[in-house]
Amino acid sequence: MPDHPAPASKLLARFGPVALVTGASSGIGLEFARVLASQGFDLLLVARRGDALAAIGQDLTARYGVRVTPLPLDLSEPASLPALLSACEGISIGLVVAAAGFGTSGPFIENDLSSELDMIDVNCRAVAALSWHFARRFAAQRRGGLVLLSSLVAFQGVPRAANYAATKAYVQTLAEGLRHELRRAGVSVIASAPGPIRSGFGDRARMTMGLSQGPEAVAATTLRALGRQGTVRPGWLSKFLGWSLAALPRAARTRVMGLVMAGMTKHA
């Protein structure tokens, strides 16, 4: 028996009984999995590292008594999406958290093209496919929720992270449009736009995030806002940076973000 059975929650009653979380082996995705398990959701967890997912699943089951199914898939691979959707057939999924994603940094023309295209596949193509599939399912059942991970960089161009910012602009815009398309069908959609977060993201993107927050700043705040807001900026840092940039023209925001990114990538 679990040491700490998960309590029933309003979120579970509205969006349960099962949640799908991508990017669940670390960082923001892992924190979403923990929060959802603590509220009683059974989970389907997607990430590249099967061993990490298995360990996480065992821990969440022991703590909260929920059922966790690990799905080790690389969403940059074309075959992963059909495999994921096949694994979800017949399961009562009511909530999808699309947290899988990665970034690159540095001048776009100096970066590896295959990495840049893989990033588009993970950050955009996979998100579009999951959103289309589950939005149709949720609309048919007249209930469900989509959580799409945007970013502070989604609201202007960002030199030295140009393609990454573009992928997040896609996610932000997609979430805004889907929220209006789907709300009359009983489907809630939210874009979560955090600032710098301590996770494996910075290492992979070759960024130094001196001023950052932990992933716990994102998940609970985003889930509380689901169904009430279209975009949430979780954490004080995201709110502060968003507010301070909002008054500037878009071109000025791009210049400022270029300076910020230059500082975060000067070691590279």
Side-chain angles (χ1 to χ4, degrees):
M1 294 294 290
D3 294 331
H4 305 286
S9 70
K10 292 181 180 179
L11 194 72
L12 179 66
R14 184 171 181 182
F15 298 110
V18 184
L20 168 67
V21 183
T22 69
S25 63
S26 64
I28 293 173
L30 174 56
E31 187 62 24
F32 269 104
R34 287 170 174 161
V35 172
L36 290 169
S38 75
Q39 299 198 30
F41 282 84
D42 291 334
L43 298 171
L44 294 174
L45 301 183
V46 179
R48 294 178 300 162
R49 297 181 293 157
D51 54 345
L53 285 182
I56 290 164
Q58 291 172 2
D59 177 64
L60 295 179
T61 297
R63 287 177 180 268
Y64 304 111
V66 298
R67 179 179 299 174
V68 180
T69 303
L71 298 172
L73 295 167
D74 183 347
L75 294 179
S76 69
E77 298 291 337
S80 67
L81 289 170
L84 172 56
L85 297 178
S86 177
C88 294
E89 289 182 4
I91 298 175
S92 298
I93 297 170
L95 180 63
V96 172
V97 179
F102 70 94
T104 60
S105 65
F108 178 67
I109 60 173
E110 296 179 9
N111 288 345
D112 177 67
L113 177 59
S114 63
S115 294
E116 298 295 322
L117 296 178
D118 282 349
M119 182 169 61
I120 293 172
D121 283 339
V122 175
N123 294 10
C124 300
R125 184 172 177 273
V127 171
L130 290 175
S131 297
W132 182 87
H133 178 86
F134 284 101
R136 287 167 62 91
R137 182 192 290 199
F138 294 163
Q141 66 192 28
R142 308 294 296 181
R143 63 189 292 270
L146 291 173
V147 177
L148 306 186
L149 263 294
S150 176
S151 170
L152 176 70
V153 304
F155 303 96
Q156 65 284 304
V158 180
R160 298 185 66 83
N163 194 31
Y164 173 67
T167 66
K168 290 304 179 180
Y170 171 81
V171 173
Q172 177 66 37
T173 305
L174 178 67
E176 290 174 1
L178 288 180
R179 178 171 183 254
H180 286 273
E181 287 185 9
L182 297 170
R183 60 184 176 183
R184 290 188 177 180
V187 182
S188 299
V189 183
I190 193 168
S192 181
I197 297 295
R198 292 189 299 274
S199 67
F201 172 89
D203 293 337
R204 186 172 184 183
R206 297 181 300 147
M207 297 179 190
T208 300
M209 297 183 177
L211 187 62
S212 61
Q213 294 181 271
E216 63 275 4
V218 180
T221 298
T222 300
L223 291 170
R224 281 196 298 269
L226 181 62
R228 300 202 306 260
Q229 296 174 234
T231 297
V232 62
R233 295 177 181 267
W236 68 267
L237 184 56
S238 180
K239 290 181 176 64
F240 172 75
L241 292 173
W243 173 82
S244 61
L245 290 170
L248 299 176
R250 189 177 179 97
R253 297 202 304 269
T254 297
R255 289 196 295 271
V256 170
M257 290 302 296
L259 294 173
V260 171
M261 193 58 60
M264 294 174 66
T265 60
K266 61 183 179 181
H267 64 286

